[in-house]
């Protein structure tokens, strides 16, 4: 097996072979790699939990708090993109948890994302835990993003990258 990484694209790659037999050439182009911008108004973290536990389901714990100039925000959304190969298990249960503060949950299966709605966020950190299920093993899965933002003041936002290595 021979692998060659191109330093930049577009690029030209010539392949020359000789002899008899069968050959295969495979090309992989990675695009849409998420970028993280400077945090503005929020702090956020994402921590994978119970990845190798035999009695607890794997999950990701997402914590956020408001660090902007106001006492509290308006409506806040946390968008949790899931690492490829993983899916959320019953995120709607967060609505019924008294301490979560989650008012609404949307699951976007096409984008592999869970969106949580909060009425407001203050300097008091809010943490939620989303149970996960690995549906397919992906070798060298790329980082996913977690973004928090004020729905009515989108300049106040924070994004982080996280990964799940089981």
């Amino acid at each position: 097996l021979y692998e060659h990484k191109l330093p930049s694209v577009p690029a030209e790659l010539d392949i020359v072979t000789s002899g008899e037999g069968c050959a295969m050439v495979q090309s992989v182009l990675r695009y849409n790699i998420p970028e993280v911008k400077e945090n503005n108004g929020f702090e956020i973290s994402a921590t994978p939990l119970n990845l190798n536990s035999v009695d607890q389901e794997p999950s990701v714990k997402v914590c956020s708090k408001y660090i902007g100039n106001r006492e509290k925000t308006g409506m806040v959304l946390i968008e949790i993109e899931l690492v490829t190969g993983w899916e959320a298990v019953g995120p709607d249960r967060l609505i019924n948890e008294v301490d979560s503060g989650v008012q609404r949950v949307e699951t976007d299966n096409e984008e592999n994302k869970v969106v949580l709605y909060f009425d407001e966020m203050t300097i008091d950190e809010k943490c939620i835990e989303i149970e996960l299920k690995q549906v397919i093993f992906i070798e060298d899965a790329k980082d996913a993003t977690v973004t928090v933002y004020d729905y009515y003041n989108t300049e106040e936002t924070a994004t982080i990258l996280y990964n799940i290595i089981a």
Side-chain angles (χ1 to χ4, degrees):
L1 176 67
Y2 177 75
E3 184 176 305
H4 179 75
K5 292 185 180 182
L6 299 174
S8 64
V9 288
E12 189 173 307
L13 178 65
D14 294 321
I15 300 171
V16 179
T17 64
S18 63
E20 295 179 15
C22 182
M24 180 179 93
V25 176
Q26 181 177 359
S27 171
V28 177
L29 175 63
R30 301 215 192 287
Y31 60 95
N32 200 18
I33 304 295
E35 291 183 23
V36 176
K37 299 174 183 162
E38 183 178 337
N39 291 353
N40 184 21
F42 291 94
E43 283 184 5
I44 190 162
S45 65
T47 308
L49 302 172
N50 309 321
L51 297 180
N52 297 312
S53 175
V54 292
D55 60 343
Q56 292 184 309
E57 295 297 322
S59 62
V60 61
K61 182 178 181 180
V62 176
C63 297
S64 183
K65 67 180 180 179
Y66 179 65
I67 57 169
N69 297 328
R70 299 174 290 156
E71 187 176 314
K72 62 183 180 180
T73 66
M75 184 169 63
V76 169
L77 278 66
I78 297 180
E79 296 183 358
I80 305 164
E81 178 184 297
L82 300 172
V83 175
T84 303
W86 293 83
E87 66 182 28
V89 177
D92 291 336
R93 70 166 175 71
L94 292 169
I95 296 171
N96 298 324
E97 288 185 11
V98 175
D99 295 334
S100 75
V102 175
Q103 299 300 311
R104 181 177 168 190
V105 176
E106 289 181 1
T107 305
D108 185 340
N109 293 327
E110 193 172 301
E111 295 287 326
N112 200 23
K113 177 169 51 173
V114 175
V115 182
L116 307 174
Y117 291 75
F118 298 83
D119 283 341
E120 65 184 23
M121 198 164 286
T122 65
I123 195 161
D124 297 325
E125 185 174 65
K126 290 186 181 183
C127 294
I128 55 93
E129 201 172 310
I130 295 182
E131 287 184 27
L132 302 173
K133 176 174 71 172
Q134 189 170 22
V135 292
I136 188 168
F137 175 76
I138 304 292
E139 189 174 327
D140 192 28
K142 300 304 176 209
D143 293 343
T145 60
V146 178
T147 301
V148 58
Y149 60 94
D150 186 319
Y151 185 80
Y152 298 107
N153 186 9
T154 55
E155 297 86 40
E156 291 187 324
T157 184
T159 301
I160 58 161
L161 297 173
Y162 80 102
N163 207 324
I164 299 172
I165 301 172

